[in-house]
Amino acid sequence: MARKEIMTARHLAGAVYRALTNRKDGPTLYEVCDPVLLRHRGGDGHLAKFYKTALANPALRPLLRRAGLPELRDPTRFQELQDALRQARDEETPDWAAIGRPVAALLDTVTLHHPRPGATTCSGMEPGLADIERVIRTCGAHLLRSFRNNGFIPTFAAFNLIGDPDLRGRDFLVALTGLDARGYKNSTLLFNLARVFIARSPAREVINPPWRGVAEPMWEPVQIRHRSAYYDAFFTEALLSFAETGLATPAETDAIRRANCEMVDFCLRTSREEVFSRDGSRVGVITALAPNPHPRFNRFFTHIKQNLGFGIYVPDCDTTACSFSAATQAGSNDPILDQPLLDFYAGYQVGGGANEPLVTVPLNDNIDYDGGIVTWIDSLAGDRPYGNDLDPTLNLDVLEVSFRNCSRWRVLQTPQRLQTVQRIIRFQRRLVESGAFTDPRSHIYYLPELYCAYFGRCYAAFSMLPSAARRAIDPDDSFSYMRGRILGYVQDTLISAEMNVFDAALALIALGHLGADRAALWPALNCIVNHAGEGGRRSPFRAYEWNKMKTPTRIVVGGPEVTSAFVLMGLALARKAMQRVV
């Protein structure tokens, strides 16, 4: 472990040196932007504020001061880029497609790729049950300690300025024209311009150092702590999983009960807001980020988030589904749970092209949207700052909460609700049949590997339904078909390659829920047990990518507590499988 950390430090030191001493080969980001944005007054003030805060700051400027682009020596191209920035700065209703074209052309010169873990052949022997239980207890204690110390379990966000490999010039233009809030358009424009200078210079190795496995590690220097109902719902499930193992002490069991009660309350009450349903009635949903002071941002980020263009938050279908699911599992009797969410979600379901305009940011239009539910919910004021997109993993969460509330919401007795569920299932089956579920481009907010884990979670909820209900919901046996394809991907691709701890936890969740053979668990189990303690004195494991944003740049969300929660849930499922065989 120490040797690996030393090698990482050496790598970063060398990368910093190369960035600082790089031979300048053309105009830099600052030569393009400083004359337009640094001291200008008037026009849209946010664009200049964003530039000064995010890109022209004292930390980034030295790394990029020698990162030039030779094609910008052409006076015409240089002027075209500056003119685009002036339009974005000065015009009341800018032509964003025209503004984005010179940046899109530069983006297409960047070559990025997703992680390609090498194959591995040695998985070792199966770890002992005692080792697995020790890590479960350690992770459970970590979550409870964090809740006790903070009053909540924090999650962190980190900016990766090199951007997402899937976001090329065409996708950038799609985002720039499909996003709604001007501040979000501004940040998308400038972040993507900066990506070119970063990716084509030695600075790329500082900002995006290599890592093991698939899920991106979160490097400590730029992490923004925050709280959301989506995260509280997830941590509620993790603590319920800890309690179900029977490994928690009586004191820990009491602490789990208190923490879950507070987190469910945060989801259903603190984070609740009302929106209009398609019939004009008001419906209670769960917002992506509750008003201040509830998000509990770091003090530093509280002061700059407005400058970065993150001033407006709206509810979303995923946070609502996961909050309802966690509350259901925790035994809540809050009246909001009696709302049949499927009636509301039907208004956000894409249908045969007629509802296609719902998806204004189609970054994953390689997949067929028909039957899918979009992400963002219009606030009561009509705000939708991020436009709208459609994510397959979100749709698994909608199915999962519908299965858990099948009786309460009278899904089988209400043809329209049953049809909504079946159309989502058909959407998922097409995704799996085509193999597109394995393509990172198909996913807006998650890794394909996380999709597999969440499919396992959804499959488990489906399997708990009575057989007659399963046949009525899934007469084509699509879940059985998808189980086979997804299980095959996890076994043949994910666990046959080098993994980090987070990859291994996702593999265990998928394998455990989908009923894989016991031997298939060994590689992931060994990865987790062998890396226990990698987080140092503060946490059992490091922080890794849980979910992400592709706009305005690649923003990775996770944290040490998130890793502990995923590891706990994966190991609990593996332990159950091992005990079943014994």
Side-chain angles (χ1 to χ4, degrees):
M1 189 74 66
R3 186 173 184 274
K4 184 177 180 181
E5 289 172 357
I6 289 170
M7 292 298 289
T8 300
R10 287 176 180 171
H11 169 86
L12 289 176
V16 169
Y17 175 79
R18 288 188 291 275
L20 295 177
T21 59
N22 179 46
R23 184 176 67 86
K24 184 171 175 287
D25 190 17
T28 68
L29 174 71
Y30 302 113
E31 288 172 296
V32 172
C33 295
D34 278 0
V36 180
L37 300 175
L38 198 57
R39 295 179 180 86
H40 180 79
R41 298 291 181 271
D44 178 48
H46 173 261
L47 191 71
K49 278 185 182 178
F50 178 86
Y51 174 67
K52 295 171 190 174
T53 302
L55 302 179
N57 60 70
L60 193 59
R61 190 179 277 269
L63 286 177
L64 296 182
R65 70 184 181 88
R66 304 180 69 84
L69 301 181
E71 57 263 59
L72 293 185
R73 291 201 199 101
D74 179 343
T76 301
R77 294 197 70 175
F78 185 89
Q79 189 64 45
E80 184 183 36
L81 201 54
Q82 283 198 330
D83 287 346
L85 293 175
R86 289 190 182 94
Q87 290 176 52
R89 182 194 69 189
D90 295 339
E91 294 185 9
E92 188 174 341
T93 56
D95 181 346
W96 289 102
I99 288 168
R101 282 190 199 107
V103 179
L106 289 173
L107 270 180
D108 283 334
T109 68
V110 172
T111 302
L112 298 172
H113 61 79
H114 292 283
R116 299 167 182 167
T120 183
T121 55
C122 180
S123 63
M125 297 296 292
E126 181 181 69
L129 198 59
D131 290 330
I132 292 169
E133 291 180 345
R134 172 178 51 80
V135 179
I136 290 174
R137 288 190 179 99
T138 300
C139 290
H142 177 219
L143 296 178
L144 291 173
R145 182 172 65 253
S146 182
F147 187 89
R148 183 176 65 249
N149 292 343
N150 296 289
F152 70 108
I153 302 178
T155 305
F156 299 83
F159 291 86
N160 185 334
L161 298 183
I162 204 161
D164 194 280
D166 291 323
L167 205 98
R168 303 298 302 273
R170 172 259 181 203
D171 309 292
F172 161 71
L173 289 175
V174 164
L176 199 60
T177 55
L179 297 167
D180 190 45
R182 183 159 184 172
Y184 211 63
K185 289 175 183 281
N186 288 341
S187 55
T188 298
L189 173 67
L190 289 181
F191 265 141
N192 279 277
L193 176 60
R195 286 179 64 199
V196 184
F197 293 88
I198 293 167
R200 289 177 53 185
S201 76
R204 69 181 291 162
E205 293 301 315
V206 181
I207 288 172
N208 197 53
W211 67 83
R212 174 191 179 97
V214 177
E216 181 178 333
M218 295 176 63
W219 313 105
E220 286 198 15
V222 238
Q223 292 189 13
I224 302 158
R225 186 199 67 205
H226 59 300
R227 183 183 192 182
S228 162
Y230 181 78
Y231 311 142
D232 274 31
F234 165 73
F235 288 125
T236 297
E237 287 195 27
L239 289 179
L240 286 172
S241 178
F242 184 33
E244 288 168 6
T245 64
L247 297 174
T249 66
E252 287 174 330
T253 301
D254 288 342
I256 290 170
R257 192 178 301 111
R258 290 193 301 271
N260 280 353
C261 182
E262 290 186 35
M263 289 192 290
V264 168
D265 186 75
F266 181 83
C267 290
L268 301 190
R269 301 190 182 198
T270 305
S271 303
R272 176 178 179 168
E273 66 177 284
E274 288 192 332
V275 297
F276 288 118
S277 187
R278 62 178 178 173
D279 64 1
S281 62
R282 291 194 177 195
V283 177
V285 295
I286 311 303
T287 193
L289 213 61
N292 283 329
H294 301 296
R296 304 289 289 270
F297 284 120
N298 307 49
R299 184 175 301 174
F300 171 72
F301 187 66
T302 299
H303 294 309
I304 68 170
K305 72 182 180 73
Q306 193 74 35
N307 290 353
L308 292 176
F310 302 107
I312 302 173
Y313 294 92
V314 292
D316 66 273
C317 292
D318 209 4
T319 299
T320 302
C322 290
S323 295
F324 276 46
S325 175
T328 301
Q329 293 176 67
S332 171
N333 58 4
D334 192 297
I336 194 175
L337 300 177
D338 294 330
Q339 292 182 147
L341 276 181
L342 287 167
D343 292 350
F344 175 74
Y345 283 149
Y348 284 86
Q349 187 169 36
V350 174
N355 286 352
E356 207 72 5
L358 280 174
V359 184
T360 65
V361 190
L363 298 180
N364 58 343
D365 60 0
N366 58 303
I367 66 174
D368 181 357
Y369 295 145
D370 184 53
I373 307 293
V374 296
T375 303
W376 300 102
I377 299 170
D378 294 3
S379 71
L380 213 55
D383 295 318
R384 194 196 294 167
Y386 314 119
N388 227 323
D389 48 51
L390 195 152
D391 185 87
T393 307
L394 177 157
N395 279 264
L396 290 176
D397 292 336
V398 171
L399 288 176
E400 192 267 352
V401 73
S402 300
F403 298 150
R404 290 195 180 278
N405 290 279
C406 188
S407 297
R408 173 185 279 170
W409 295 347
R410 296 181 59 80
V411 174
L412 301 182
Q413 294 79 18
T414 313
Q416 182 180 320
R417 294 171 194 165
L418 180 59
Q419 182 186 49
T420 299
V421 168
Q422 289 176 333
R423 292 187 60 218
I424 301 174
I425 294 172
R426 288 196 291 272
F427 161 74
Q428 299 288 358
R429 176 157 184 161
R430 288 193 306 274
L431 181 79
V432 174
E433 277 183 330
S434 68
F437 77 98
T438 68
D439 182 356
R441 181 179 172 80
S442 302
H443 304 273
I444 298 292
Y445 298 108
Y446 303 96
L447 296 165
E449 292 72 17
L450 192 134
Y451 174 85
C452 295
Y454 275 42
F455 176 82
R457 172 178 174 267
C458 181
Y459 182 84
F462 176 73
S463 299
M464 289 190 295
L465 293 171
S467 58
R470 294 199 302 271
R471 286 194 301 271
I473 289 170
D474 184 22
D476 300 327
D477 211 14
S478 290
F479 267 95
S480 178
Y481 170 81
M482 292 188 287
R483 172 193 174 275
R485 289 291 302 273
I486 291 170
L487 190 55
Y489 173 73
V490 175
Q491 292 178 326
D492 298 340
T493 302
L494 176 54
I495 64 174
S496 66
E498 286 185 325
M499 293 181 286
N500 59 43
V501 167
F502 203 84
D503 301 339
L506 296 179
L508 285 181
I509 292 171
L511 295 169
H513 279 314
L514 300 180
D517 293 338
R518 178 169 172 168
L521 307 175
W522 293 4
L525 285 172
N526 276 302
C527 177
I528 290 171
V529 171
N530 292 340
H531 287 85
E534 69 172 17
R537 290 175 294 176
R538 290 180 292 179
S539 57
F541 299 100
R542 292 178 176 143
Y544 295 91
E545 169 189 355
W546 171 19
N547 55 66
K548 64 178 180 289
M549 301 282 285
K550 293 184 177 183
T551 59
T553 189
R554 182 171 166 81
I555 304 174
V556 179
V557 177
E561 288 85 356
V562 171
T563 307
S564 286
F566 271 99
V567 167
L568 191 161
M569 291 189 291
L571 291 182
L573 287 167
R575 175 178 178 266
K576 188 181 295 185
M578 293 166 69
Q579 290 176 324
R580 202 163 44 235
V581 172
V582 172

